[in-house]
Amino acid sequence: MNMPVSQNPKTIRIVPLLLLVMSSACAVVPISPNNTPSALNPQGPGAMHVADLWWFMFGIGSLIFLLVIGLLVAALLRGQCGTSLTPPEMDSEAGRRWLVWGGIVLPFVVLVLVFGGTIATLVAISSLQNNPQAKIQVIARRWWWEVKYPDQGIVTANEIHIPVGVPVQIQLESADVIHSLWIPNLHGKMDVIPSRINTITLQADHIGVYRGECAEFCGLQHAHMGLMAVAESSEDYSKWLDAQQKNAVFPTTDLIAQGQQVFLKTGCANCHTVRGLDDSSVDASDVDLGPDLTHFYSRQTLAGASLTMSRGNLAGWIIDAQHVKPGSLMPNMSPDAPDLQALLAYLETLR
Amino acid sequence: MIVRSGSCTVLIGVILFLVCASGCVSQANGVPDEHTSEESRIVQGRVLIASYGCGTCHAIPGIPGADAMAAPPLDRFYQRTYIAGMLPNTYENLARWIQDPQAIIPGNAMPNLGVTETEANQIVDYLLHQPTVKDLLLP
């Protein structure tokens, strides 16, 4: 009897329970700030349904967790902390009741609830596909996303622009293996299967930039296969459409013209399209091994959203792409250093 | 007997708490955040190095993902004698080089990134006082 706490068994019982409550509360605390790519931070109806389902399942899971821990604590306290240590008499009938209710009936009810919730969510998400305001093709490639607006003849990469507050249809295709598109703030995952078109309806309720990822392991650089979904006002969206429909600008200075020649003679044009750039030796207006670069520098990221768009990152990507994304189809280019400066100047005009 | 079972219950509670709490610890990783880091010039320099993308070509200790070998590594830069093989490695020269490498050696591979004078000074502060990777990993 040398420990003062032991004199009050009730306090001792409360301590672990308190800790338990504190720790379960802790699991709920890290709610994401705005625009974090989290499914618990829904910014559109599709993601809202997914988040509702998540919280529903979290609620059921928490109840079961508390029930199990409660039973565990009750079992631990039983016959201890001041009462007799003699084991209670065996009651096989009671044991069987625990098995039937806790082992069969309860799991059955839980599974039916979760299944019902999931079906309801699927139905709710598929009923979103009404009256899409725009149609966008997204083609998963090795390891980047090609984005096409067939109605406007726009081809871009790793960036989807959508008008805010209206549904937009995304048609998903794969050029190679199975990928999966996941923009957690806007929608659940949708697999991208070769030789098949899957569609989702995206809607963002707030203006913002939402990051998406490939969510199905697809090879070496799967982890560097991201894209940005830019939800903007309808004016900004139509401005963007107009700008993207234009051909690339013509070089205005000697340095930029030199950069354009570097682009052609180094072989960039063998994989990358720049609309409006035609040369007798290479037609750079219709190749699709690499991203379309017509309005490249207007994008927020490069290399499948693995680098932010900046001159430093661009230079590093050009000369050492295999270090940034080993295994990607972009080879390390090593133009003469002055040519590199000209090439950078040229690429930066492709806005 | 009562004493032992009581402290035993407390122990179980503590273990349960630790197990549950371990799932809650969020790890800060990636690019340093401008708003939460302390307002020192060295820390600011680190943020700038990350945002200008220096690490896409250079290996720089303490910058997430900066392990490239396309351009010279910048570790222990304070021990370097010359910048770009020609400028004595002083504070002013390094800041000048970072701001406008194309003026010092026209046509060299390092592009002008549009770094302002203040920013260049902060980057130099980092490069000349850069802590080791181990220091930065410790909280």
Side-chain angles (χ1 to χ4, degrees):
Chain A
M1 299 294 271
N2 52 354
M3 286 176 69
V5 279
S6 66
Q7 285 167 3
N8 188 350
K10 274 189 181 162
T11 336
I12 297 168
R13 280 183 219 178
I14 289 168
V15 171
L17 286 176
L18 253 179
L19 289 171
L20 189 70
V21 172
M22 280 162 59
S23 58
S24 46
C26 169
V28 188
V29 172
I31 300 288
S32 322
N34 203 20
N35 283 12
T36 327
S38 161
L40 298 184
N41 177 25
Q43 301 289 321
M48 209 85 83
H49 290 303
V50 176
D52 286 347
L53 178 65
W54 191 92
W55 284 110
F56 174 66
M57 289 173 69
F58 178 73
I60 292 183
S62 306
L63 286 178
I64 295 170
F65 175 73
L66 289 176
L67 180 71
V68 171
I69 296 299
L71 289 171
L72 179 67
V73 170
L76 287 170
L77 296 181
R78 188 174 179 181
Q80 298 191 26
C81 293
T83 53
S84 151
L85 275 179
T86 327
E89 278 186 43
M90 296 292 283
D91 178 352
S92 63
E93 190 52 41
R96 197 169 296 130
R97 272 206 304 275
W98 275 108
L99 264 185
V100 170
W101 285 99
I104 299 172
V105 176
L106 183 65
F108 180 77
V109 171
V110 167
L111 289 178
V112 166
L113 281 175
V114 170
F115 182 70
T118 308
I119 296 295
T121 304
L122 287 176
V123 169
I125 286 177
S126 59
S127 71
L128 291 174
Q129 300 179 353
N130 290 328
N131 196 22
Q133 299 295 302
K135 204 180 285 177
I136 306 170
Q137 271 177 298
V138 174
I139 302 145
R141 291 184 177 274
R142 184 172 157 187
W143 292 284
W144 55 283
W145 304 89
E146 184 170 23
V147 178
K148 292 182 179 174
Y149 291 67
D151 296 341
Q152 289 84 7
I154 293 170
V155 183
T156 179
N158 305 320
E159 202 163 293
I160 306 174
H161 283 244
I162 56 173
V164 74
V166 295
V168 172
Q169 192 189 63
I170 311 274
Q171 297 184 337
L172 292 164
E173 295 167 51
S174 168
D176 37 55
V177 298
I178 300 178
H179 301 266
S180 180
L181 176 67
W182 190 28
I183 308 171
N185 300 112
L186 302 183
H187 206 280
K189 295 170 192 169
M190 176 56 86
D191 275 0
V192 186
I193 316 268
S195 70
R196 153 175 196 161
I197 299 174
N198 281 347
T199 51
I200 54 173
T201 306
L202 273 194
Q203 180 177 329
D205 289 335
H206 307 283
I207 289 173
V209 181
Y210 307 105
R211 193 186 165 92
E213 296 287 344
C214 178
E216 180 75 47
F217 181 72
C218 59
L220 261 185
Q221 290 302 326
H222 162 66
H224 288 150
M225 183 171 168
L227 89 173
M228 311 307 270
V230 182
E232 50 199 2
S233 66
S234 54
E235 301 93 74
D236 286 349
Y237 174 67
S238 31
K239 249 185 250 168
W240 181 82
L241 286 181
D242 288 345
Q244 297 287 315
Q245 278 170 295
K246 290 182 182 134
N247 280 346
V249 290
F250 200 75
T252 46
T253 69
D254 288 348
L255 185 69
I256 295 169
Q258 186 196 341
Q260 192 186 51
Q261 286 311 306
V262 174
F263 185 87
L264 289 168
K265 83 170 184 232
T266 317
C268 312
N270 290 335
C271 297
H272 296 285
T273 298
V274 173
R275 270 172 287 142
L277 171 60
D278 292 304
D279 183 83
S280 50
S281 56
V282 200
D283 177 12
S285 60
D286 190 25
V287 285
D288 62 358
L289 265 177
D292 185 300
L293 300 184
T294 311
H295 299 288
F296 165 71
Y297 216 71
S298 71
R299 298 177 204 149
Q300 304 192 355
T301 63
L302 74 157
S306 51
L307 296 171
T308 50
M309 186 64 82
S310 73
R311 180 177 262 223
N313 281 334
L314 177 56
W317 173 247
I318 292 170
I319 63 175
D320 200 6
Q322 290 302 311
H323 171 263
V324 179
K325 267 175 97 162
S328 77
L329 291 179
M330 170 92 178
N332 284 0
M333 309 304 291
S334 36
D336 293 342
D339 283 353
L340 175 66
Q341 302 308 325
L343 183 60
L344 290 173
Y346 170 63
L347 289 173
E348 285 174 7
T349 65
L350 303 178
R351 287 171 183 274
Chain B
M1 236 15 203
I2 292 170
V3 176
R4 200 174 292 164
S5 62
S7 49
C8 168
T9 320
V10 174
L11 186 69
I12 291 167
V14 169
I15 290 172
L16 270 175
F17 172 71
L18 288 178
V19 169
C20 299
S22 63
C24 306
V25 179
S26 62
Q27 278 194 326
N29 62 345
V31 178
D33 185 349
E34 223 171 322
H35 304 288
T36 54
S37 54
E38 57 172 304
E39 292 293 315
S40 81
R41 295 162 61 88
I42 295 173
V43 170
Q44 196 54 36
R46 185 172 172 238
V47 172
L48 288 166
I49 288 172
S51 71
Y52 274 110
C54 311
T56 315
C57 291
H58 296 282
I60 314 163
I63 310 294
D67 56 354
M69 290 303 285
L74 304 183
D75 57 319
R76 289 186 290 149
F77 203 88
Y78 42 82
Q79 289 186 335
R80 208 64 76 74
T81 315
Y82 289 104
I83 300 160
M86 68 174 284
L87 285 178
N89 185 10
T90 63
Y91 189 101
E92 291 72 25
N93 280 343
L94 185 52
R96 200 152 67 86
W97 171 256
I98 291 167
Q99 281 178 81
D100 198 357
Q102 290 298 318
I104 296 166
I105 309 179
N108 90 89
M110 173 146 159
N112 285 1
L113 301 180
V115 181
T116 66
E117 190 180 346
T118 321
E119 289 173 335
N121 288 342
Q122 287 165 335
I123 292 173
V124 172
D125 279 320
Y126 183 84
L127 288 179
L128 296 185
H129 301 97
Q130 55 185 302
T132 62
V133 177
K134 203 174 133 218
D135 293 335
L136 287 159
L137 288 178
L138 291 172

